[in-house]
Amino acid sequence: MTTSLSLGPVLYNWSAEDWRDFYFRIADEAPLQRVYLGEVVCSKRTPFFTPYLPEVAERLVSGGKEVVYSTLALIMSEAEMDAVRALAEIPDILIEANDIGSAALLAGRPHVIGPFVNIYNEGTLDYLARQGAGLVSLPWELPAPAIAALAKTAAVPLEVQIFGRTPLAISARCYHARQCGLHKDGCQYVCAEDPDGMDVETLDGESFLAVNGTQTLTHTIGALMPELEEMRGMGIDNFRLWPQAIDMAAVAQIFRDVLDGRTAAAEAWQSLAAAADFAPFSNGFYHGEEGVSLKR
C-alpha cells in the first residue's frame, strides 16, 4: 500500500495573506495526499482567514490533495459549538474532530478523529471506528509499543505525527496575552508576533517550551525519520507533518523521498536539519523516554 503523507492544520496565528499563500504553494508543490484546514487553537483567529478558505480548498483539490476541515481542540462557548454544528451540517466534506463533543456530532457520517482526542486503548479506538471514523490520528505521546498494539487490532487506518513542534496542552487562558500584560479578550492578537510559537525558558535560561496563544508546545521539533520503517512494519501507512514557518514543501519532499525509498533516512535527516534549523529535534515520546530527548 502506498503511504499517505498529510499536513496538519496551521496551529499558529499567521496573517491571512501568508496563510493563503502558504497553502497555495502546498497545493502546487508539496507531495502530500491530505491537507487539514481550519482553526484548532483559538476561534478568535478564524474570521481573518475564513474569506480565503473556499479558494484555498479549491486550489488544494486542484493540486490533487484531499481536504479535511479541522475543528477546535477546546470548545469553551456556545458560539464555538454552534460553529462545529454548522460545519457538521455541510454535506460531502470530510471533518476532523479534535474533541469528543465534535466526534459525537459527526457520528454516523465519515469523519477523522484528530490527535487531540485521547485514544490510549483498543476499546476507545473500536468505539470511535463504529461511530463512523474512517481515519484516526493518534496522540503524539504514544510510545512505539502502544502504536503497534493499536495498529494490530485497528479496524480503520491510523495516522502518526512525524514532524513539527509537538502540541502538549490547550488552556482557557492565553499565555501570549498574559506575557504582554493583556487580557485574553483584549489580546491584540500578539500571538501573531511568533509564527512558530514563543520560546519559553527555564530560570537557568534553557529553552523549554513554546507558547502559541492558549496552546503549549514543545520547544523541540518532534521528528521521526529513522522510525518510519519500523512504523510501516506495524501497519502504519499514514503520517502527518505539522506546519511550521519554514519551507514545508521541501520538508514534505524529504519525507516523501524516504517513504518511497529514494533517499536513505540518515541522508534525509541531514537535509531535514538544514530545512528546520530553528530548534533541535526530539523523538523521546516514541521511544518511551522524556519527550524532549533524542534517540538516534
Side-chain angles (χ1 to χ4, degrees):
M1 178 183 291
T2 302
T3 55
S4 174
L5 194 60
S6 69
L7 184 69
V10 172
L11 298 176
Y12 310 97
N13 186 14
W14 296 352
S15 75
E17 292 75 19
D18 287 346
W19 184 91
R20 175 201 60 196
D21 294 346
F22 171 81
Y23 280 113
F24 279 180
R25 184 167 181 223
I26 290 298
D28 296 344
E29 300 180 24
L32 298 161
Q33 285 66 52
R34 184 182 306 108
V35 176
Y36 297 84
L37 294 176
E39 182 57 48
V40 172
V41 177
C42 178
S43 62
K44 292 177 65 176
R45 303 171 181 175
T46 305
F48 294 107
F49 65 79
T50 296
Y52 294 116
L53 192 57
E55 185 181 10
V56 165
E58 182 179 357
R59 182 79 163 259
L60 287 166
V61 171
S62 297
K65 278 73 171 172
E66 179 183 37
V67 173
V68 183
Y69 295 86
S70 298
T71 63
L72 288 169
L74 180 61
I75 296 174
M76 295 181 289
S77 70
E78 190 63 31
E80 291 176 347
M81 196 71 240
D82 285 343
V84 178
R85 292 189 185 102
L87 188 65
E89 291 175 357
I90 301 175
D92 303 323
I93 65 170
L94 191 57
I95 302 171
E96 176 187 62
N98 280 305
D99 82 302
I100 202 65
S102 298
L105 280 176
L106 296 170
R109 64 177 280 176
H111 60 277
V112 175
I113 295 295
F116 294 88
V117 177
N118 294 334
I119 300 176
Y120 300 133
N121 58 66
E122 295 88 341
T124 303
L125 179 58
D126 179 65
Y127 170 78
L128 293 169
R130 287 188 282 108
Q131 293 294 101
L135 175 72
V136 172
S137 192
L138 295 176
W140 37 81
E141 70 268 26
L142 290 181
I147 296 173
L150 291 172
K152 187 175 181 179
T153 63
V156 296
L158 304 180
E159 181 181 74
V160 174
Q161 283 90 91
I162 58 172
F163 176 83
R165 276 188 160 161
T166 305
L168 297 175
I170 294 279
S171 171
R173 297 181 180 274
C174 180
Y175 305 113
H176 250 111
R178 288 173 65 87
Q179 192 271 339
C180 294
L182 301 169
H183 295 289
K184 182 180 179 181
D185 292 340
C187 66
Q188 300 179 29
Y189 302 98
V190 291
C191 53
E193 298 175 5
D194 299 288
D196 279 313
M198 177 179 64
D199 287 347
V200 177
E201 296 182 345
T202 66
L203 293 176
D204 296 325
E206 180 181 358
S207 295
F208 175 48
L209 297 169
V211 163
N212 166 39
T214 61
Q215 184 181 50
T216 303
L217 308 99
T218 59
H219 166 70
T220 57
I221 303 168
L224 301 180
M225 179 74 76
E227 297 82 1
L228 290 174
E229 184 176 356
E230 180 181 28
M231 285 190 285
R232 294 178 74 178
M234 299 174 188
I236 303 297
D237 291 305
N238 297 275
F239 301 100
R240 177 185 294 211
L241 315 174
W242 286 113
Q244 303 287 169
I246 57 176
D247 188 346
M248 289 302 301
V251 170
Q253 189 64 62
I254 291 169
F255 277 98
R256 187 74 262 172
D257 287 344
V258 173
L259 291 169
D260 291 346
R262 288 189 292 270
T263 306
E267 178 184 349
W269 187 262
Q270 301 303 317
S271 298
L272 188 63
D277 60 356
F278 64 91
F281 290 156
S282 64
N283 59 11
F285 284 133
Y286 181 87
H287 295 283
E289 301 176 357
E290 298 88 350
V292 72
S293 64
L294 178 63
K295 183 175 182 179
R296 296 294 300 272

